[in-house]
Amino acid sequence: MLWWRRGEIMIFLLVLITLVLMFYLGVIKTRTVKNPLSFFLFFWGLWTCLSMLNPYSLYSVSEKAYLLIWLNIFAFSIGFILISRKKSQEISINVSFSKKTEKLLLLIQVCLLIILTYYYIKYNSIMSRMLITDARIVKFQIGYLFGNYTEYLLFNYFVAAALYVSVIINIVKYSVDRKKKASLLITLINIYLFAGIGLGRFIFFNTIVFIILAFTIYRGSNLMTNIAQKGNRRLRIRSKKSKLKYIPLIFVGIYFMTRTTAIRTGSTIDSFESFWRWFEFSVGQGVVYFLGPFRAFDNFLLTNPANTFTLGRATLGGLEEIINNLFIIVGISINTANSIMSSFTVDSIIIGHNGQTFNAFYTGITNFYLDGGISFVIVIPFIFGMIIAGCWNLYNKKPSLYTLAIMVFMIKTSLAYQYRWDFSAPFNWIVITILFLLYRIEKNKEVNFIQ
């Protein structure tokens, strides 16, 4: 027991030293604290260090698992530091859309509103005849909300992707120009409807993350630079006030996350006391959500249920699933990496002394390890760190609404794989593809304008 405690202390110190050192090197390389690596280190460091305290009677995690988590953090950081460049001194983004683009964006939101309203009403009609414990099954099993597999794919691929693209673009646009457009307001309604279909909470969490990232990065690289150059006290005050404007949106997101938690357990919130009670419960549940993946990963290492290497397919799982669905049309089906992972992630495991169960979220490191063992836990985060650095460099070299949107989305992905690998889901590949296409279209328009 003494040796085990010493082992944990050594790993804790190793992680802490790495976090501080990489944070310092990242700030030196980019010349700003508000860089993607800082967000990554804060998020991963917070949950890794908290995990070692084993709160809520959670099981302890093996040294091997923690060492792999440390390798992941170290490799990602080195990859980012090698490629990243210093922040541009002045960044100003023009987000003035043409009337045609404004109308198109609004039309997309209205179409999404109609589609989501239809499924929201249909979902609640189905749930009125079922138990609250079936709330998630209704959305993810064919025959309830979706009549066939094609309808299921269309919703979870394209409707979800269109919603997320709309959320990111509208949040980024608002973080720059502070204009409350009809498109933004409809998007907020769509977020509520989407969450209500299946009682999902991550759309609220992701929206909060998008808001924090968009406001922090753009204001940090624009207004703060102007303040330093001009020394204008009034500008400082205006900057502080502008940052306070997005706080109500965060509180709204927290309220709906808490409300959804209560509904999923068959309860309601009808007073501040009941809200606070469910908020505290949600916080505890949230902590378990973020610490559970480390224990699930540890369980994976101990049982090694797959007993095979997928050689990159688990990392590219969402893309492989899209290809597989195209093959299914012609009568060919393959055993995808996502299917292999589902064989051990769907069933619940016990992760705490109080019988706390957990499933689904196995941290993105599981994908990397499944692909090729320890070597892939080093190589893939290293490459991913370079990709994030490339997005950072692109934003600083070609600042625009779309390069900022790309960076916000990719930073969120680097945080999210602490609990799950976003690119296992096909719609995330569609989201990033659409954002890059929009950037290329904008870039081509600029080139044609100059010529």
Side-chain angles (χ1 to χ4, degrees), residues 191-203:
I191 290 171
Y192 173 80
L193 293 173
F194 186 81
I197 303 169
L199 299 182
R201 291 166 291 186
F202 264 104
I203 183 64

Side-chain angles (χ1 to χ4, degrees), residues 73-328:
I73 295 173
F74 181 79
F76 179 96
S77 302
I78 295 297
F80 179 87
I81 291 169
L82 285 177
I83 302 297
S84 62
R85 299 174 183 172
K86 68 177 182 179
K87 180 196 63 146
S88 298
Q89 290 301 311
E90 286 192 50
I91 291 182
S92 181
I93 297 177
N94 179 17
V95 292
S96 298
F97 289 148
S98 65
K99 290 185 177 180
K100 184 177 179 181
T101 303
E102 287 279 7
K103 289 180 180 179
L104 179 60
L105 186 61
L106 182 60
L107 178 62
I108 292 173
Q109 305 316 306
V110 172
C111 290
L112 281 173
L113 178 64
I114 295 171
I115 294 171
L116 292 173
T117 299
Y118 165 76
Y119 281 108
Y120 180 82
I121 294 172
K122 185 178 180 181
Y123 175 81
N124 283 282
S125 175
I126 295 171
M127 284 305 302
S128 66
R129 304 187 299 272
M130 302 184 72
L131 300 174
I132 193 65
T133 52
D134 299 321
R136 302 293 285 166
I137 296 175
V138 170
K139 183 179 180 181
F140 294 105
Q141 286 191 2
I142 309 300
Y144 294 102
L145 186 64
F146 306 109
N148 53 61
Y149 189 59
T150 301
E151 185 182 4
Y152 170 84
L153 291 182
L154 288 174
F155 184 90
N156 286 285
Y157 281 21
F158 299 104
V159 174
L163 175 67
Y164 268 90
V165 169
S166 301
V167 171
I168 296 168
I169 288 178
N170 276 292
I171 287 175
V172 168
K173 190 175 186 300
Y174 180 68
S175 72
V176 176
D177 64 15
R178 296 297 196 277
K179 294 180 180 178
K180 300 179 182 67
K181 297 285 187 176
S183 176
L184 174 62
L185 298 177
I186 296 176
T187 298
L188 295 176
I189 297 173
N190 288 339
I191 290 171
Y192 173 80
L193 293 173
F194 186 81
I197 303 169
L199 299 182
R201 291 166 291 186
F202 264 104
I203 183 64
F204 295 126
F205 174 77
N206 290 333
T207 300
I208 291 172
V209 173
F210 290 146
I211 291 172
I212 293 173
L213 291 175
F215 277 75
T216 302
I217 293 170
Y218 181 71
R219 307 314 290 180
S221 59
N222 186 24
L223 275 186
M224 294 302 105
T225 300
N226 292 336
I227 289 171
Q229 291 176 344
K230 297 179 181 180
N232 192 323
R233 182 174 179 273
R234 185 175 298 176
L235 190 58
R236 286 193 187 93
I237 295 172
R238 190 164 67 247
S239 170
K240 291 179 180 179
K241 288 182 178 179
S242 66
K243 288 183 177 181
L244 295 175
K245 290 182 179 179
Y246 69 85
I247 292 178
L249 290 175
I250 294 176
F251 277 111
V252 169
I254 291 173
Y255 168 76
F256 281 114
M257 286 178 66
T258 304
R259 179 176 176 271
T260 302
T261 300
I263 294 174
R264 285 174 65 163
T265 56
S267 302
T268 58
I269 295 176
D270 52 15
S271 66
F272 179 79
E273 287 75 17
S274 62
F275 167 78
W276 186 254
R277 184 173 64 255
W278 281 109
F279 173 72
E280 289 183 319
F281 177 80
S282 297
V283 170
Q285 198 174 51
V287 170
V288 173
Y289 259 75
F290 290 112
L291 301 186
F294 292 160
R295 282 141 187 88
F297 174 56
D298 193 29
N299 183 77
F300 165 78
L301 294 175
L302 291 172
T303 58
N304 193 20
N307 198 28
T308 183
F309 289 140
T310 50
L311 303 176
R313 292 163 54 211
T315 301
L316 305 176
L319 191 59
E320 183 190 42
E321 189 172 312
I322 293 175
I323 296 172
N324 181 52
N325 281 309
L326 294 176
F327 284 160
I328 288 176

Side-chain angles (χ1 to χ4, degrees), residues 3-51:
W3 178 86
W4 172 252
R5 287 180 178 175
R6 284 178 178 174
E8 283 190 328
I9 292 172
M10 293 300 294
I11 293 174
F12 178 82
L13 291 175
L14 179 63
V15 170
L16 193 61
I17 292 171
T18 301
L19 292 172
V20 174
L21 178 61
M22 293 304 164
F23 173 79
Y24 180 69
L25 292 176
V27 171
I28 291 177
K29 191 69 185 291
T30 62
R31 304 291 177 86
T32 177
V33 173
K34 298 172 183 178
N35 64 72
L37 183 58
S38 295
F39 293 109
F40 174 85
L41 292 173
F42 173 79
F43 195 82
W44 277 85
L46 170 67
W47 296 115
T48 303
C49 292
L50 185 60
S51 176

